[in-house]
Every structure is written in C-alpha cells, then in structure tokens.
C-alpha cells in the first residue's frame, strides 16, 4: 500500500489532468462563476494533515453543511427530530417534491433539501434567523478549529433570488404543519448555511469527530456520542449523495456527503476525515471528479467500511 501522501498526490495529479470534469451548477448563478479546480485533503486520526491540489482554496460547501446542521439539531432536540424527518434514502433528486405529498410533508431524510429545511426550522427555535445562522457558523468554526471560516453572502443572496423550488418545498411542508416558523425564516437559515465557504483542509478538519467515534482526535473532547457519530455516518452512506448514494457506496465504500459546489466530505471510520473538491458535477449533482478521486484513493489505501 502506498503512503497516504503519495496516494493523494497521485490522485490529485491525475484529476488535474482530466478534461471530462462534469458541469458546474448554474441554477444558483453565483456557483456558475467558479473555475475548474481540484483539491483534496486528508486529516488522520493521528493528527496528520495531508493536502494536494487546490486544498486551501475556499469553495461553497452547499449541502455538505447539512451534516453539521443535523449534528447541531440532534444536539438540541435529540431523537425527537425523527418525528419530523425520516431516515430513508429518497431515490430522488435532492430538490424533489414528489414524495412529500404521499408522506404528509415528512421529508425522507435530513440531507435532501426538504429535510434540511426542517432541520433549519428546528435550529431556529428560540432564535432570530441571524442568531441561528451565527450558531451554525460558530459550530463549524469550532469543529474545524478555524475562526476564519465565513459565509459567502453573495452565494446566499444568489440562492435566495432563484430558490423557487426551495420556497415550494418549504411552503408545502408548512401546509402539513411540519415547519414551526414562517417558510421565509427557515429558508433564510438554510440558504446561509449552504453558503458557508470552506477549503478542503477546513472541511476535512471539521469532519474529524465523525472519523473518531464522535470525539475530536486532537483534543479528545466529545462532540457527539459514539452512537450518534455512527448514525450520522450511516445516514451519509445511505443518503449523502441523493439518488447517487447507492452508486457512491458501491464504488467508494465509505460514508460521504456531497454538495452542488463540488465538495464531498468522506469519512473513513477509525482512520481519517477526507475532503475533496472539483466543481463539475455528474448527472446526480455530485462532484464528478471528486467521486472518482475518492474511489481511486479508497482503492489505493484499501479503505472501505466493509474491509475485513
Ligand atoms: O438548496 C439547494 O439547491 C442548495 N443550497 C444545496 C443543494 C446541494 O448542494 C445538493 N447537492 N448535491
């Protein structure tokens, strides 16, 4: 097996050369302006930080943020969250509305847009939207041990200006009584956490607790219980790539969460937290080269949650 440094460098070199990079998301106009890049970072449980390519360039983490908002909301309301959001893969695109009618406004899982909007609504309890947004940002900064992480307000505004589907999802759930706040307010929180900008290094740092049974491996401090870390990992594996989740599990074999900004957070339990970024997307709205890179890296390093 190669050294991790060598494996990362090899994967990054190969991805940087490739011309079939997928298509950048343009439905949020601000995301369409990003240059084709590739970055990858691994932070191991024994404290090594290994970077390759554009690993220090911030990008819009978009739906990857849903891992952090779910973690925060579970900390607030515990398992009561599951009365309002399911835990099943949707088998549908991330912004689909079709299941909501049959399932009485209860989204399939916390990682599709509808589920994450309910999670935002939970985080709003007792807060003004700006306080809830601040709490989410501070939590992510705390996880990554990096106060320089910011929210890109232009991306949030761009998404709000074109967020007709998300408004439809939120209004529809409100009609079923599954939002406590006005749709406008829950969406304000949602658009802003999706607009958090992070580099691969920062994202991999923020994911450390999930690779280490709920504890920050650097400080030994518990972020969530071991059971909760396992469960968040299970949801990432089954629902983290929308209707591409089965394929990602099949090809890569570790829990992952993607975003339309082209980022993916990958977790190798007991070993490392990984982040990869390449803005071109595949047909399911997941980073095309990011998925290929994680598949190659996992194979090179013999990483899989199914490995003996
Ligand atoms: O709501 C949206 O459309 C975006 N803020 C997030 C979507 C996303 O990242 C889906 N990921 N693949």
């Amino acid at each position: 097996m190669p050294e991790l440094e060598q494996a990362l460098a090899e994967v990054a070199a190969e991805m940087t050369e490739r011309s079939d990079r997928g298509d950048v998301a343009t439905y949020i106009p601000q995301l369409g302006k990003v240059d084709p890049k590739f970055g990858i970072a691994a932070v191991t449980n024994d404290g090594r930080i290994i970077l390759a390519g554009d690993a220090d360039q911030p990008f819009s983490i978009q739906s990857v943020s849903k891992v952090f908002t779910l973690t925060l909301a579970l900390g607030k309301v515990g398992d009561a969250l599951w009365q309002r959001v399911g835990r099943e893969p949707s088998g549908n695109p991330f912004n689909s509305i079709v299941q909501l009618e049959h399932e009485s406004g209860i989204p399939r899982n916390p990682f599709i847009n509808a589920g994450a909007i309910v999670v935002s609504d939970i985080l709003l309890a007792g807060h003004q939207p700006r306080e809830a947004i601040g709490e989410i940002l501070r939590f992510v900064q705390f996880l990554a041990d990096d106060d320089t992480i910011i929210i890109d307000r232009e991306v949030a505004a761009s998404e709000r200006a074109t967020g007709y589907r998300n408004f439809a999802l939120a209004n529809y759930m409100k009609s079923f009584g599954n939002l406590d706040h006005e749709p406008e307010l829950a969406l304000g929180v949602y658009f802003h956490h999706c607009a958090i900008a992070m580099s691969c290094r920062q994202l991999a740092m923020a994911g450390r607790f999930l690779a280490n049974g709920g504890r920050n491996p650097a400080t030994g401090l518990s972020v969530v219980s071991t059971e909760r870390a396992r469960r968040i990992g299970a949801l990432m594996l089954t629902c983290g790539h929308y209707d591409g989740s089965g394929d990602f599990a099949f090809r890569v074999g570790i829990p992952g969460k993607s975003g339309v900004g082209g980022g993916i957070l990958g977790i190798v339990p007991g070993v490392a937290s990984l982040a990869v970024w390449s803005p071109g997307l595949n047909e399911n709205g997941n980073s095309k080269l990011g998925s290929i890179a994680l598949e190659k890296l996992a194979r090179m390093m013999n990483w899989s949650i199914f490995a003996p």
Side-chain angles (χ1 to χ4, degrees):
M1 207 188 300
E3 290 296 328
L4 185 50
E5 285 81 354
Q6 187 193 332
L8 242 61
E10 228 172 88
V11 167
E14 190 184 328
M15 295 304 130
T16 306
E17 288 297 301
R18 282 180 80 134
S19 53
D20 54 332
R21 310 185 75 84
D23 300 314
V24 174
T26 49
Y27 76 100
I28 301 175
Q30 202 65 18
L31 290 184
K33 299 182 180 165
V34 173
D35 291 333
K37 298 264 172 120
F38 180 87
I40 188 162
V43 179
T44 61
N45 285 3
D46 58 15
R48 288 180 300 148
I49 301 174
I50 302 156
L51 311 173
D54 304 299
D56 274 318
Q57 168 147 351
F59 59 90
S60 190
I61 68 166
Q62 290 294 316
S63 289
V64 184
S65 61
K66 295 170 184 174
V67 174
F68 307 123
T69 53
L70 172 67
T71 304
L72 206 51
L74 284 170
K76 270 188 194 284
V77 300
D79 285 341
L81 185 142
W82 304 120
Q83 288 160 18
R84 296 177 57 185
V85 184
R87 302 189 293 254
E88 294 295 342
S90 69
N92 277 314
F94 58 88
N95 54 8
S96 172
I97 201 165
V98 290
Q99 282 162 341
L100 276 179
E101 177 159 24
H102 298 297
E103 298 175 6
S104 309
I106 309 286
R108 272 288 171 106
N109 67 66
F111 294 152
I112 52 172
N113 289 9
I117 294 167
V118 173
V119 169
S120 286
D121 186 66
I122 290 171
L123 294 176
L124 254 180
H127 288 306
Q128 294 300 319
R130 72 170 53 234
E131 294 165 346
I133 294 163
E135 188 180 13
I136 296 166
L137 181 61
R138 282 191 299 278
F139 182 58
V140 171
Q141 291 174 335
F142 160 75
L143 292 174
D145 193 17
D146 191 331
D147 290 345
T148 67
I149 296 166
I150 54 148
I151 291 175
D152 185 329
R153 310 247 160 221
E154 284 182 23
V155 170
S158 179
E159 185 169 351
R160 175 185 290 277
T162 53
Y164 303 108
R165 273 190 181 242
N166 286 325
F167 277 97
L169 292 168
N171 280 302
Y172 205 45
M173 291 191 292
K174 181 73 178 170
S175 78
F176 282 103
N178 198 15
L179 285 189
D180 292 336
H181 304 85
E182 286 304 315
E184 168 75 18
L185 301 182
L187 286 170
V189 174
Y190 173 78
F191 292 143
H192 281 83
H193 75 65
C194 286
I196 294 174
M198 292 169 87
S199 65
C200 289
R201 178 205 296 263
Q202 292 167 329
L203 191 54
M205 288 288 280
R208 289 173 298 175
F209 74 104
L210 291 171
N212 191 46
R215 275 177 200 280
N216 177 331
T219 61
L221 294 176
S222 172
V223 179
V224 296
S225 67
T226 301
E227 182 180 59
R228 186 159 288 166
R230 288 180 184 177
R231 288 178 160 179
I232 293 169
L235 289 165
M236 290 171 74
L237 186 74
T238 53
C239 312
H241 283 72
Y242 314 106
D243 44 346
S245 298
D247 194 53
F248 185 85
F250 182 85
R251 285 167 41 198
V252 187
I254 61 170
K257 180 75 204 81
S258 72
V260 287
I264 303 176
L265 173 66
I267 301 298
V268 192
V271 180
S273 166
L274 312 172
V276 62
W277 171 56
S278 174
L281 307 178
N282 63 22
E283 58 286 354
N284 293 324
N286 301 311
S287 175
K288 178 168 180 176
L289 294 191
S291 315
I292 295 172
L294 288 179
E295 181 179 6
K296 285 185 182 287
L297 184 65
R299 186 168 298 163
M300 285 165 99
M301 300 307 297
N302 193 30
W303 284 339
S304 163
I305 60 165
F306 306 105

